[in-house]
Amino acid sequence: MSKNEDVLRRIWARKKELELSTHRELYKQEDNWSKLLYYTFAALSNYLMNIENNHFSRDLQFSAKYFELLPTINDDSNLLAGDNELMLFGSAAYFFADYPEAANVALKPIDVGSLSFYEKVLYAVILNDGTFPEKTFGKVPTMMNNILLGDFSEDSLRRTLSEKLMRDSIDKLTDSAYKDGIDENILAAECVSAVVLLKIKHSTLRIMSEVSGGTDDYWKQVIQDKKVERTLWASQRALGEHGVFSGRSAVVQMPTGAGKTASISLILRSALSKEKLRIAIIVAPFKSIRDEIYQKQVQNFQGESIQVNRLSTDLKMDFGFIFHHEKPRVLIVTPEKLLFMIRHSNDLLFQTDLIVFDEAHQLDNSERGITFELLLVTIRQIVPEKVQKIFISAVVGNPETISEWFNAGNNVEITGVPEKRYSNAYGWAVWNKKTNSGDLFFKINVGNDDRWTPYSNVVNPVKVKRILEPNFSRKSPVKAYKWVTILYAIHFMSNGMVAVFSPRKDTISGIAAEFTKYAKLNDSFSSILNVNEDTKAIASLFSHNFGNNSKLVKAFQSGIFVHDGEIPNSIRNSIEFAAQRGKIKLLLCTNTLAQGVNLPIKTMLVTSVGQGSLKLKNRDLRNLIGRVGRSGIENEGNIIFVQGSDFANKNTGNAIRQLVENIPPENLGSSLLNLFQPTPVDPYNMQTELITSDQWFTADFLENPEEWVSNHISTDDLARAEVYRKKGEAVSKIEGFLMSLWDFIQMGNPTDNLRLIAESTYAYHISDSEDSRRDIENLFYFLYRKIVRLVTESDLTIYTKMLTGINESALMKNWVLENEPLIVNTNSLGQIISDLWPLLKHDLNPKEMEHDNLFQKLLEGWVMGTSYGDLLDVWKSFEGVKIKNKNPNVETVYNICDRLFQFNMAERVSAIAELIEDDVKKKRLYLLHTAIKSGLPTLTENAIYSIGLNDRYLSSQIALLTGDTSLTKGQVKDWISHHKNEIKQRENESLTRFFLKVLDEIV
């Protein structure tokens, strides 16, 4: 096999040579290239003679890659360039290797008209989209399709007869091919027989009717309605084999592109098919993933008797409706929202039959992982064992450990669904100062070959305002490094969509600025960017949010798009939608791209794998590169690490080694356990001073973390104070968690019960140190005693619902008791903010507190719907004031609104509302909470925002058209359904394709 792999590597290298246009012929056609035909066709034939044997996958994938590669090498020496038969047999090999989506991609370039009749039949049965006329493609594709659709499933005799007639037709086809005596046609006919056999064997109708316990009629209907695919992928069959579709809980490690979304839908449908679903909860770690799941599930269940709800992230009682519906309900929520819901209504979990935790590796997320872990422990303590719980991730190194812990071990562990071979090529890109050109070194990922294939003079300098770039003669090489990245990005854009990744936002902003300058100077580059009506609408909408002076807006206007946490969700949604439809050629991104976003990226340029807290873990890197060469879109992608003028630094070298050697991702850790680990003062530099647990795990600190920080940390030492503040936040979350389980703790011996709760945490389960386990127990014991001392029985229920710690809850309670007659006596949001500001400003750090009046003005403008660009002007009016050592800029304004206001201060308003007994005042506080979460003041604007038109500018403009500020969600839907043309005409320039689709779906 090694010699054959070397030939395949050289063929692949030649393809890269042609892609890179290096005008060299190091890997030109060799005699043994075509000799590999004997091996690959033999591999295909061997499989056909042993179709039940599962050990042919490697040979089949090898053959598929060979058949797919060779026709793409368009030079005079390759007689098989553009060979449609090879591409067809490559598709068949992918299909037999159990990669149906790769098989469909391989079919795309084929000229069907050039195929023989037998080959056309093979093409039709692989693609199986039900559109092949019998006159051209014969009866077999139609007969197979009818069986997969269940046209005869209600009548076993007719079904048997139908399958017999189809087998007879296949036999006739095969006999006819053998009589013709043409090898290719014989092979095609044998492939047809095998494809049909496998498709029926993997039939969704056949398998799901057996493993789900549901009826044939249910599955037949949803298959015929095209709600589910006619056949199941390997990952979905594995779920069935392990009992997941019949209701077993599971820990599922599913590779990126293995059909996770479809699998979740099948799990939901399995419960529906048995009429046993009341409430299903899907927990998504981020709003963006929540929205994506919601959109797909709404589309999936459209017109069916099931209610799909995307619950807001508002921490308020806006979910009572779910208890008053007879229809099955699917609730898609973030962890924080679900925790809020549970603490306000335990009944929710007792009416729930299924909980799915998507992207569950976020359990190890440094910022929100503790909330996720405590949520899982809460569910484990409260939810009956019979409730099905699914833990899904693509990148977990220790699924067996999680399986032992998750649901107390009462689940199955599903791993081992293989990733497709020969999918990606990995490369280094460097600048050769001697030749003043860019060199590229590719690792053609075939076999165990350690060689890197060199390509020289791939890119050359360009003149930018009379200066050649990249220019390494400058004192700092940073700008030159950016230009190396830019030149490689431009080069690869001719082969498909390019993404440029950096963990640092400032790096991405700098590259965007240089790209924008070059687009204005170079018409050729500007034309490649393909500015179109959709991208113009995205840029227009962005300008209404950030203002025309924003550098990022200028980049968007040039066709250069950025996907980052400091870009509003509405803009990111629009970018993703446009990119999925091929409208965007270049995307600059940070870690947000790794959060489950599916885009048709052909090449990713990685400028850095980061350092300190920004350093990408192996699993994060795998999640990121999983965006490249997506299943069903591309069969191959390029991941290139751009190194400027030097070879890789240690971090990058390790990252590439982990990828090319296919080293498994790290074990999933615990944010609760990490709480006790040494923490660097400077998160970007792990070599700085470390804060250890003995410095904060003390009675004084735990008694009142905020007060301790004020007394012990200088107001100028913001970095150190931030570390302690985060430790204090974690302590507060644990306090709320213990209060929520108070009844369980008090049943019997509290000490024993606390130990049981501590032992039920993931942190305790994975800890290999008695000292660490003792620390967790002692932390729980201390906080329990603190609750006993400081919290009365009447306060306990209220504090639990506030989602804040004991100290914060007590502080707010005392303040409200003293000031309640004087506060929230008006509907004016600005006045209520002024009333509550003494409490709200507690979320500012000491430096920010020096200018708390600026933050108050920004918050007042935010809730009144003021754009980010206009809020920037508010900041500028406070002359000389910097925030986080930055001069006024719109990205920082967005960050303040997104993190400080929408998360911290909104949570505080929700907590205050729990302390207010007056129903009128409580309602006003909930309205303020909603306004802080959305940045919109009126009921109508927020109703529009909540039904999917989640852009502040669009919501406010549509609200103006209604002429009413107090419409409910139902009234808004009704109004919009009758005024769509008016909205489209009014907002034509800023209605992106994404929002046009949302608008059209409102009925």
Side-chain angles (χ1 to χ4, degrees):
M1 187 70 174
S2 60
K3 288 184 178 180
N4 291 335
E5 286 181 332
D6 187 59
V7 175
L8 182 63
R9 185 186 67 81
R10 296 178 72 81
I11 295 171
W12 201 346
R14 176 58 177 160
K15 183 193 174 188
K16 290 298 174 191
E17 198 169 51
L18 293 170
E19 273 183 17
L20 297 171
S21 304
T22 57
H23 307 294
R24 302 182 70 188
E25 297 185 351
L26 292 176
Y27 305 99
K28 201 170 180 181
Q29 171 76 45
E30 301 171 13
D31 291 340
N32 58 357
W33 283 16
S34 57
K35 288 180 181 177
L36 208 53
L37 286 168
Y38 298 108
Y39 172 81
T40 49
F41 276 116
L44 197 53
S45 300
N46 286 339
Y47 170 78
L48 293 171
M49 290 188 291
N50 300 273
I51 195 169
E52 298 297 329
N53 193 322
N54 295 323
H55 300 295
F56 287 96
S57 179
R58 180 177 178 180
D59 288 347
L60 287 169
Q61 290 186 67
F62 180 92
S63 301
K65 189 66 180 180
Y66 173 77
F67 290 143
E68 189 177 30
L69 277 175
L70 202 53
T72 65
I73 299 176
N74 294 309
D75 61 29
D76 296 338
S77 60
N78 183 20
L79 299 178
L80 294 172
D83 191 292
N84 289 286
E85 286 181 332
L86 282 191
M87 290 187 274
L88 177 63
F89 289 122
S91 174
Y94 275 130
F95 182 84
F96 296 140
D98 223 350
Y99 297 99
E101 286 295 280
N104 287 348
V105 171
L107 291 176
K108 289 179 181 179
I110 293 177
D111 174 13
V112 182
S114 69
L115 300 177
S116 72
F117 170 73
Y118 305 95
E119 291 165 345
K120 286 176 181 174
V121 177
L122 177 57
Y123 179 95
V125 294
I126 293 174
L127 192 57
N128 188 32
D129 65 0
T131 62
F132 298 103
E134 291 186 10
K135 184 177 180 180
T136 306
F137 296 92
K139 294 181 179 180
V140 172
T142 302
M143 297 173 80
M144 180 189 73
N145 194 50
N146 289 340
I147 291 171
L148 294 177
L149 289 173
D151 282 355
F152 312 107
S153 63
E154 72 283 351
D155 186 330
S156 60
L157 183 62
R158 289 183 66 197
R159 181 172 65 242
T160 303
L161 179 61
S162 174
E163 291 182 4
K164 181 180 183 306
L165 288 172
M166 187 186 66
R167 285 196 299 271
D168 290 344
S169 294
I170 292 172
D171 290 342
K172 288 179 183 178
L173 180 80
T174 307
D175 290 344
S176 176
Y178 275 97
K179 286 178 183 177
D180 285 351
I182 299 172
D183 292 344
E184 292 89 336
N185 290 340
I186 293 171
L187 185 60
E190 292 287 2
C191 285
V192 167
S193 178
V195 168
V196 173
L197 175 69
L198 286 172
K199 290 225 171 189
I200 292 176
K201 180 181 178 182
H202 299 159
S203 159
T204 301
L205 179 60
R206 186 186 70 81
I207 295 175
M208 294 306 296
S209 297
E210 290 178 8
V211 301
S212 71
T215 64
D216 280 9
D217 287 342
Y218 175 84
W219 289 107
K220 174 182 172 181
Q221 188 62 56
V222 295
I223 291 167
Q224 292 186 351
D225 290 343
K226 299 182 179 180
K227 297 295 186 71
V228 298
E229 293 295 328
R230 281 160 280 190
T231 55
L232 298 182
W233 292 11
S235 57
Q236 294 147 10
R237 300 197 304 273
L239 295 178
E241 291 162 7
H242 285 81
V244 174
F245 295 139
S246 63
R248 289 200 70 182
S249 295
V251 171
V252 182
Q253 177 156 292
M254 190 175 290
T256 302
K260 180 188 68 176
T261 302
S263 297
I264 292 174
S265 296
L266 287 170
I267 293 169
L268 289 169
R269 288 197 177 280
S270 295
L272 283 171
S273 70
K274 298 186 286 286
E275 298 183 350
K276 288 187 176 180
L277 184 66
R278 293 169 297 171
I279 295 175
I281 299 173
I282 302 177
V283 184
F286 305 105
K287 283 194 296 183
S288 57
I289 297 177
R290 179 205 63 177
D291 293 345
E292 184 178 7
I293 293 172
Y294 171 75
Q295 289 154 16
K296 288 179 178 176
Q297 297 305 337
V298 163
Q299 184 177 3
N300 183 32
F301 289 103
Q302 190 172 12
E304 298 183 50
S305 185
I306 181 172
Q307 190 176 37
V308 180
N309 299 103
R310 168 183 52 189
L311 296 188
S312 74
T313 55
D314 295 0
L315 299 182
K316 65 177 186 179
M317 294 288 291
D318 59 355
F319 52 90
F321 68 92
I322 65 177
F323 301 111
H324 306 298
H325 285 274
E326 294 184 2
K327 290 182 180 179
R329 286 136 288 166
V330 177
L331 311 179
I332 307 167
V333 298
T334 59
E336 290 80 8
K337 180 70 172 190
L338 181 55
L339 200 59
F340 178 86
M341 293 168 71
I342 291 170
R343 292 189 184 176
H344 282 76
S345 177
N346 274 343
D347 290 344
L348 169 67
L349 294 180
F350 291 107
Q351 294 188 42
T352 298
D353 300 299
L354 168 66
I355 308 175
V356 178
F357 300 94
D358 192 20
E359 301 287 335
H361 56 273
Q362 295 297 335
L363 179 65
D364 200 7
N365 181 297
S366 60
E367 290 190 9
R368 301 167 67 193
I370 284 184
T371 298
F372 200 0
E373 182 169 346
L374 297 179
L375 169 65
L376 286 168
V377 176
T378 301
I379 288 172
R380 179 173 163 172
Q381 292 288 337
I382 296 175
V383 174
E385 189 176 305
K386 66 179 181 179
V387 174
Q388 186 179 19
K389 308 171 196 74
I390 309 292
F391 182 108
I392 300 181
S393 174
V395 282
V396 172
N398 55 337
E400 66 290 337
T401 303
I402 297 165
S403 184
E404 291 168 2
W405 168 76
F406 182 68
N407 198 36
N410 297 310
N411 44 257
V412 292
E413 174 199 338
I414 301 172
T415 58
V417 177
E419 293 187 59
K420 184 164 67 71
R421 292 172 176 269
Y422 316 123
S423 294
N424 292 322
Y426 300 100
W428 321 83
V430 298
W431 193 261
N432 188 329
K433 290 184 179 179
K434 292 181 179 178
T435 62
N436 200 27
S437 64
D439 293 344
L440 192 57
F441 297 83
F442 261 120
K443 175 71 168 65
I444 307 298
N445 211 16
V446 178
N448 298 316
D449 192 337
D450 293 330
R451 286 173 290 180
W452 288 82
T453 306
Y455 300 91
S456 57
N457 298 308
V458 176
V459 295
N460 293 289
V462 294
K463 188 169 284 189
V464 182
K465 293 184 178 180
R466 294 178 293 183
I467 297 176
L468 278 180
E469 295 288 1
N471 180 5
F472 284 96
S473 65
R474 296 185 183 96
K475 186 175 181 180
S476 170
V478 172
K479 188 172 182 178
Y481 290 154
K482 290 175 183 175
W483 270 99
V484 173
T485 302
I486 289 168
L487 293 178
Y488 275 105
I490 294 171
H491 187 88
F492 279 100
M493 282 170 62
S494 60
N495 291 320
M497 183 178 173
V498 172
V500 177
F501 168 82
S502 173
R504 294 186 63 102
K505 302 174 192 294
D506 53 354
T507 299
I508 287 297
S509 297
I511 293 173
E514 297 300 328
F515 263 125
T516 306
K517 291 177 190 174
Y518 192 55
K520 291 179 179 178
L521 296 171
N522 190 296
D523 292 339
S524 175
F525 173 51
S526 184
S527 65
I528 295 172
L529 289 169
N530 186 32
V531 174
N532 51 69
E533 291 304 312
D534 199 10
T535 59
K536 286 179 182 177
I538 296 171
S540 174
L541 185 60
F542 194 27
S543 70
H544 284 299
N545 279 271
F546 268 35
N548 279 318
N549 292 326
S550 163
K551 291 180 180 178
L552 289 181
V553 168
K554 294 181 189 300
F556 278 41
Q557 290 168 342
S558 298
I560 299 146
F561 292 90
V562 175
H563 194 286
D564 174 58
E566 291 183 358
I567 303 293
N569 276 339
S570 60
I571 307 301
R572 277 190 274 165
N573 290 340
S574 296
I575 289 171
E576 291 163 16
F577 192 83
Q580 286 161 357
R581 283 148 187 81
K583 300 295 184 181
I584 288 176
K585 299 296 183 184
L586 177 64
L587 186 65
L588 315 182
C589 58
T590 55
N591 292 1
T592 57
L593 197 69
Q595 295 169 7
V597 180
N598 297 324
L599 300 177
I601 298 170
K602 178 69 174 178
T603 300
M604 178 173 287
L605 303 179
V606 180
T607 66
S608 169
V609 295
Q611 58 184 358
S613 64
L614 286 181
K615 183 181 176 183
L616 291 178
K617 294 179 180 177
N618 184 0
R619 67 167 168 267
D620 298 324
L621 187 59
R622 286 183 171 278
N623 232 352
L624 180 70
I625 67 167
R627 311 302 117 196
V628 183
R630 289 293 290 177
S631 175
I633 301 172
E634 299 274 3
N635 280 346
E636 180 187 318
N638 303 310
I639 296 98
I640 298 169
F641 294 80
V642 184
Q643 294 301 300
S645 63
D646 301 305
F647 280 93
N649 60 35
K650 184 177 179 181
N651 284 347
T652 304
N654 286 336
I656 295 177
R657 182 181 61 82
Q658 289 170 351
L659 292 176
V660 299
E661 295 180 11
N662 202 28
I663 293 174
E666 304 92 345
N667 290 347
L668 190 65
S670 160
S671 298
L672 176 56
L673 186 60
N674 290 341
L675 181 65
F676 297 93
Q677 302 303 310
T679 307
V681 172
D682 181 355
Y684 304 127
N685 184 359
M686 304 301 284
Q687 305 306 314
T688 56
E689 179 189 348
L690 298 176
I691 293 176
T692 55
S693 60
D694 61 333
Q695 294 172 271
W696 66 267
F697 191 26
T698 63
D700 285 351
F701 181 87
L702 296 175
E703 188 67 24
N704 193 325
E706 186 176 342
E707 186 177 284
W708 188 95
V709 172
S710 297
N711 293 336
H712 292 82
I713 307 298
S714 166
T715 56
D716 294 325
D717 197 351
L718 291 179
R720 187 181 305 275
E722 181 69 7
V723 173
Y724 283 103
R725 185 186 65 79
K726 288 185 175 179
K727 303 286 186 186
E729 286 179 354
V731 168
S732 295
K733 290 175 181 177
I734 297 168
E735 289 173 349
F737 163 70
L738 293 177
M739 287 190 286
S740 72
L741 296 177
W742 201 252
D743 289 344
F744 172 78
I745 294 171
Q746 296 299 101
M747 282 194 301
N749 187 320
T751 302
D752 291 342
N753 292 334
L754 280 167
R755 187 178 67 256
L756 289 174
I757 292 172
E759 289 173 353
S760 71
T761 65
Y762 181 59
Y764 197 97
H765 182 77
I766 65 171
S767 175
D768 56 3
S769 160
E770 283 301 319
D771 288 342
S772 295
R773 290 180 173 181
R774 195 176 303 111
D775 283 344
I776 296 169
E777 290 179 10
N778 288 338
L779 177 59
F780 282 24
Y781 292 152
F782 182 93
L783 296 181
Y784 165 75
R785 291 192 294 270
K786 179 179 174 182
I787 295 168
V788 171
R789 281 188 292 105
L790 300 179
V791 183
T792 66
E793 190 172 335
S794 59
D795 285 340
L796 186 70
T797 302
I798 297 173
Y799 285 11
T800 300
K801 294 177 179 178
M802 290 172 70
L803 298 186
T804 52
I806 297 170
N807 304 104
E808 280 293 307
S809 298
L811 184 150
M812 285 189 275
K813 175 197 167 188
N814 294 333
W815 188 90
V816 168
L817 284 174
E818 185 178 339
N819 293 280
E820 184 169 3
L822 306 175
I823 62 173
V824 200
N825 293 316
T826 173
N827 290 328
S828 166
L829 297 177
Q831 182 58 51
I832 298 174
I833 288 172
S834 181
D835 292 346
L836 301 181
W837 192 245
L839 288 180
L840 297 181
K841 69 182 182 181
H842 275 262
D843 286 308
L844 304 177
N845 67 40
K847 282 291 184 184
E848 293 168 340
M849 196 71 83
E850 294 174 6
H851 306 288
D852 72 288
N853 53 340
L854 164 58
F855 287 91
Q856 182 178 344
K857 290 295 182 186
L858 289 174
L859 179 59
E860 290 170 357
W862 165 252
V863 300
M864 294 311 296
T866 306
S867 72
Y868 300 104
D870 289 341
L871 288 175
L872 176 59
D873 292 335
V874 173
W875 180 3
K876 288 179 179 177
S877 69
F878 285 73
E879 293 185 13
V881 175
K882 292 185 177 183
I883 297 177
K884 296 180 180 177
N885 290 321
K886 294 181 179 179
N887 290 317
N889 67 89
V890 72
E891 289 79 16
T892 299
V893 170
Y894 174 79
N895 203 25
I896 291 168
C897 297
D898 184 58
R899 303 293 291 275
L900 179 63
F901 295 165
Q902 289 185 287
F903 193 77
N904 295 18
M905 290 192 179
E907 188 177 88
R908 194 173 288 270
V909 170
S910 175
I912 295 168
E914 297 292 343
L915 298 164
I916 299 290
E917 295 183 359
D918 185 298
D919 287 341
V920 173
K921 290 187 176 183
K922 189 182 287 282
K923 183 177 180 181
R924 287 170 178 159
L925 287 171
Y926 281 147
L927 290 173
L928 174 61
H929 174 83
T930 299
I932 295 177
K933 293 293 284 187
S934 66
L936 295 166
T938 69
L939 288 172
T940 301
E941 287 170 299
N942 280 291
I944 294 168
Y945 192 92
S946 69
I947 62 174
L949 292 162
N950 60 333
D951 181 83
R952 296 174 71 232
Y953 168 78
L954 287 179
S955 294
S956 64
Q957 294 304 302
I958 295 171
L960 286 175
L961 287 176
T962 69
D964 193 327
T965 61
S966 56
L967 296 180
T968 64
K969 191 183 295 187
Q971 290 170 327
V972 158
K973 284 184 175 182
D974 183 62
W975 186 91
I976 288 176
S977 66
H978 292 92
H979 295 83
K980 290 181 182 179
N981 289 335
E982 184 181 349
I983 294 169
K984 290 176 183 179
Q985 186 175 2
R986 171 72 179 269
E987 295 301 327
N988 179 52
E989 290 186 358
S990 302
L991 267 174
T992 65
R993 292 287 178 190
F994 172 78
F995 285 115
L996 280 170
K997 181 174 180 289
V998 172
L999 191 64
D1000 287 338
E1001 290 174 349
I1002 294 174
V1003 293

